[in-house]
Amino acid sequence: MKNNNRSNLITSKLPDVGTSIFAEMSRLAADTNAINLSQGFPSFDPPEALLDRISYHLHNGDNQYAPMAGVPALRDAVARKTQRLYDRTANPESEITICSGATEGIFSAIQAIVRRGDEVIVFDPAYDSYEPSITLAGGITRHNALRVDDKGFDFAIDWQLLEDTINRNTRLIILNFPHNPTGAILQRRDLDQLATLVRNTDCYLLSDEVYEHIIFDGEVHQSLLSHDELWPRTMVISSFGKTFHATGWKVGYCIAPQELSAEFRKVHQFVTFTVNTPVQYGIANFLDSSPEFYARLPAFYEEKRDLFCRLLEGSRFSLQPARSTFFQVLDYADISDETDTELAIRWTRELGVASIPLSVFYDEPIAATRLRFCFAKDSAILEAAAKKLRAI
Ligand SMILES: Cc1ncc(COP(=O)(O)O)c(C=O)c1O
């Protein structure tokens, strides 16, 4: 007899993938009325002038399909920013593509480059979208754990491990600095070291730089775009969601040399085809007219980081202030020996503060006693959360 229950026929292409921990913790926070410092989104609005620009374009006829690669005004503005900040000339016609947030950029880049059986190296703790995208492309993910110092806070690429992992089948290395969740950053010498390691290989680099403008203590973001030797094999992804306090807009971009951008666009045009038009025009106007907005982001978020860390003085957590991003890692080794996932769930329910356990960013189970807290929040929220955390 014919089996009409089609669900029996499905062999999942992503059998290990469930709902992301970010969505789960946010849901739990909402269900339990906890302060949500888990998922990375600001509690404040985008700048008023940017909202005005978008509203203008919404009301003035910019509501139909944008060109597949993005509206020219936005690509031009991104090209100018790239030249100014990273001294890289990227042709807006052929080397810059606007995509639907960094998530689509990462997915499209991976589909464009990775073939069945190719190996892709990611650094754990790793953002959760990389591996499923690699798996869907038929690739194999090789996990390199970042090396961590004795205190458990300072994360860095283990160059020896990377050298040992690279082989003939390595097609792509994915980097994410400034790094979510640890706040690790790259120095210039790291880019040089990377160049040495890939010099005689055919592998490409995908650099997720969504936190490019959120870096502290006078450090300067070392974009892969700024390195002449790496540029020909590099695709850089960024996102306006992090830069303009607008994670809900899902507008990002990919910058890559012409041949790589051409392949990227082949995928992008069938994943989303194009990104919403009025927001692109609004961002284009604002990027050009208000470069001081993103230039001030380091000071803006550094103040929030310092406030959150100061509010935790006298608590039983140990910490090292984040060097970048809007996440602060807290170590609870002196408080509990529960696993980080158990504790993150329990504290959401019982204490009323939601966080993300660091172990979910790893392939291999790790015995970490660390939780990630998002400090992209108004002072009152940080104060209320810190009060609860200090009381433990
Ligand atoms: C490291 C990293 N990459 C990519 C993304 C996704 O960015 P978008 O919201 O623009 O898709 C995020 C969002 O949290 C992130 O932290």
Side-chain angles (χ1 to χ4, degrees):
M1 219 168 75
K2 196 169 164 209
N3 183 353
N4 286 325
N5 183 357
R6 295 210 55 87
S7 65
N8 288 346
L9 304 177
I10 295 174
T11 305
S12 176
K13 294 176 81 172
L14 295 171
D16 300 330
V17 170
T19 313
S20 90
I21 183 79
F22 308 104
E24 263 179 38
M25 291 305 292
S26 275
R27 204 192 51 222
L28 184 60
D31 289 351
T32 56
N33 232 345
I35 300 172
N36 187 5
L37 304 189
S38 60
Q39 208 172 3
F41 60 88
S43 67
F44 28 86
D45 279 329
E48 201 60 37
L50 173 55
L51 299 179
D52 286 348
R53 294 316 300 162
I54 292 171
S55 174
Y56 171 86
H57 289 285
L58 269 170
H59 291 101
N60 283 275
D62 291 319
N63 295 302
Q64 307 311 327
Y65 289 132
M68 181 271 280
V71 302
L74 182 53
R75 282 185 277 143
D76 290 347
V78 170
R80 282 190 285 274
K81 173 170 96 79
T82 303
Q83 184 79 63
R84 202 166 51 245
L85 295 183
Y86 307 128
D87 199 19
R88 170 67 47 211
T89 306
N91 185 340
E93 268 298 305
S94 54
E95 297 183 320
I96 297 174
T97 309
I98 309 302
C99 52
S100 186
T103 309
E104 192 249 313
I106 292 161
F107 183 82
S108 294
I110 289 171
Q111 304 314 307
I113 296 301
V114 177
R115 303 155 306 182
R116 183 156 301 281
D118 282 342
E119 293 186 13
V120 182
I121 300 173
V122 304
F123 297 103
D124 286 358
Y127 188 61
D128 66 343
S129 84
Y130 304 150
E131 182 153 15
S133 306
I134 296 163
T135 305
L136 286 175
I140 298 154
T141 307
R142 302 286 307 269
H143 293 266
N144 265 202
L146 292 177
R147 204 162 28 77
V148 62
D149 70 349
D150 294 345
K151 293 194 182 125
F153 288 115
D154 234 348
F155 288 77
I157 292 176
D158 182 335
W159 294 108
Q160 190 55 55
L161 180 60
L162 179 61
E163 186 174 352
D164 295 345
T165 310
I166 294 173
N167 67 71
R168 279 179 30 251
N169 298 322
T170 307
R171 178 73 164 170
L172 185 67
I173 301 172
I174 303 181
L175 300 103
N176 166 221
F177 297 95
H179 184 248
N180 172 13
T182 69
I185 58 174
L186 293 180
Q187 303 294 346
R188 192 71 198 170
R189 62 178 176 278
D190 294 313
L191 299 190
D192 293 337
Q193 179 85 44
L194 181 63
T196 307
L197 283 195
V198 298
R199 188 165 296 145
N200 297 315
T201 73
D202 293 328
C203 69
Y204 295 99
L205 303 168
L206 176 59
S207 187
D208 173 352
E209 301 186 9
V210 299
Y211 299 101
E212 62 178 321
H213 300 299
I214 309 178
I215 181 162
F216 310 135
D217 307 317
E219 297 281 356
V220 174
H221 169 51
Q222 299 294 332
S223 173
L224 266 67
L225 291 166
S226 66
H227 200 278
D228 287 341
E229 188 179 345
L230 293 176
W231 162 244
R233 59 171 89 226
T234 294
M235 311 176 89
V236 169
I237 306 289
S238 192
S239 172
F240 296 113
K242 313 294 172 184
T243 302
F244 292 140
H245 313 326
T247 58
W249 292 352
K250 300 297 284 186
V251 182
Y253 55 89
C254 170
I255 307 180
Q258 185 168 348
E259 313 78 61
L260 287 172
S261 284
E263 293 306 311
F264 178 89
R265 288 177 181 184
K266 286 182 194 174
V267 179
H268 163 73
Q269 75 176 329
F270 295 118
V271 174
T272 57
F273 177 55
T274 180
V275 176
N276 92 72
T277 309
V279 173
Q280 288 195 63
Y281 277 115
I283 292 176
N285 297 158
F286 187 75
L287 255 189
D288 273 340
S289 63
S290 307
E292 73 284 354
F293 182 83
Y294 57 81
R296 276 200 230 113
L297 272 191
F300 174 80
Y301 274 119
E302 191 168 320
E303 211 178 296
K304 294 208 170 287
R305 176 202 68 176
D306 290 348
L307 171 67
F308 191 49
C309 291
R310 210 169 43 246
L311 288 166
L312 288 167
E313 276 169 18
S315 78
R316 292 162 68 204
F317 291 97
S318 49
L319 65 89
Q320 181 175 292
R323 304 175 78 187
S324 67
T325 77
F326 44 53
F327 301 113
Q328 178 61 50
V329 172
L330 302 183
D331 192 320
Y332 63 82
D334 292 340
I335 302 175
S336 167
D337 49 20
E338 279 168 84
T339 69
D340 58 357
T341 304
E342 282 166 358
L343 205 56
I345 292 171
R346 188 163 73 76
W347 277 349
T348 304
R349 290 210 172 98
E350 294 174 10
L351 186 69
V353 182
S355 59
I356 296 285
L358 234 64
S359 61
V360 302
F361 296 85
Y362 284 85
D363 181 48
E364 294 281 321
I366 53 151
T369 50
R370 275 161 289 169
L371 301 170
R372 187 199 81 174
F373 294 79
C374 173
F375 57 78
K377 306 291 170 190
D378 290 314
S379 302
I381 298 176
L382 295 177
E383 277 159 20
K387 190 169 170 201
K388 290 171 184 282
L389 294 168
R390 268 200 320 269
I392 297 171

